[in-house]
Amino acid sequence: MEVQLTNRQQHILWATVRHYIATAEPVGSKALVDEYDLGVSSATIRNVMGVLEKSGLLYQPHASAGRVPSDSGYRIYVDQLITPSLRSRSVSQTDATRSLLSRSRSVPQGSGTETLGREVEMALQKRLQWEDWSLETLLQGAAQILATLSGCISLITMPQTTTALVRHLQLVQIEAGRIMLIVVTDGYETHSKLMDLSPLPEETQRDPEVIDRELQIVSNFLNSHLRGRSLLELAYLDWSQLDQEFQRYGEFLKNSVAELTRRTLAPTATQIMVRGVSEVLRQPEFSQLQQVQTIIHLLEEEQDQLWRLIFEEPEAEDVGKPKVTVRIGAENPLEPIRTCTLISSTYRRGSIAVGSVGVLGPTRLDYEGAIAIVASAADYLSEAFSYFNP
């Protein structure tokens, strides 16, 4: 969403979101004057809040109330007004969080100098023992810790049991300007993709035999680097090892192979471990019984739909770059959670995503903390999975 805000508008939107997250009460100008050092009068704050409301970033639940953030307001807050991975935070947000972290670390409580992400890593490392537990038990324990620290419903998928790896790869010229990429996986499944190879501007009609020889050289190069590995790793090949005349094949393949990669590596839905449901459903946002029932039904009976949402298949250019995805309110395609926020990331084996970790809660969420918690948990589980699957 492209909304240009002045510095003052950003500060007041930031303060409004923070105050609403903390209190669950509509926010008025007096509350912001009392609680935040904004350096402006109550009248100025009211005027700015009115502008933010007209921009769709705030709204009034009813005429006499203060204002609350809309989904769009939360989106601006997340994208522009916070830095989850860098912000140094005190970890004493809740009694449960403070208790868990204090039992899990050796540094003096209240130091406040470490990021929340580092605190999460320490809690996981201290309370979970890789050597003594099965992978499933480890994931169950991580899910419980994630729910406790975030105050949200935690979601961790069981890992993919198999990952398709390249057994053989071949580039074949079908006709002038048309090339087929054929991939045989380690399970002896064959996948193919027909692609157009555009000539360079200075090229005239090329000898098909010359192209065949080039394609064989490129095929040999790909097989030597990708055999036994994921096709996604094509994005990271060092094409400078080939002569300059072959460089264009690198960009051509990276830009053309995404669809084949998704088909070759299509994951299968696995069980989702769910923790923290009873705690989060006590939030005021979940006071309607029917809404609670639809969410529970999704978590218990329609996990395959939820799994497809939180386990995103990475594009080729995103290999090795796990990211945290934040879906706010109506951005969620599943009707039961269109009033919720879903924050998720993937955990990996090497560069391959094998599972996902996430939290589900109300849109009135501590985004800095939740994003840092999910990112740190994903990193931790990636390290743990490499221990169980060296």
Side-chain angles (χ1 to χ4, degrees), residues 97-113:
T97 301
R98 181 168 58 249
S99 175
L100 176 59
L101 291 176
S102 66
R103 292 198 306 270
S104 304
R105 60 180 184 167
S106 56
V107 299
Q109 185 175 345
S111 64
T113 58

Side-chain angles (χ1 to χ4, degrees), residues 161-168 183-191 227-230 264-265 349:
T161 55
T162 59
T163 301
L165 302 177
V166 173
R167 184 178 183 87
H168 184 73
V183 177
V184 181
T185 68
D186 54 346
Y188 293 96
E189 294 181 341
T190 301
H191 304 268
R227 184 175 288 113
R229 300 169 68 180
S230 165
T264 305
L265 301 177
R349 179 183 183 183

Side-chain angles (χ1 to χ4, degrees), residues 6 11 31 37 73 152 190-191 214 219 221 239 272 274 305 344:
T6 66
H11 290 157
D37 183 17
C152 297
T190 301
H191 304 268
E214 290 182 352
S219 296
F221 171 78
W239 291 90
I272 302 176
V274 180
Q305 294 187 42
S344 61

Side-chain angles (χ1 to χ4, degrees), residues 62-77:
H62 48 84
S64 61
R67 292 173 173 88
V68 302
S70 66
D71 290 351
S72 298
Y74 283 123
R75 173 51 62 194
I76 296 295
Y77 177 79

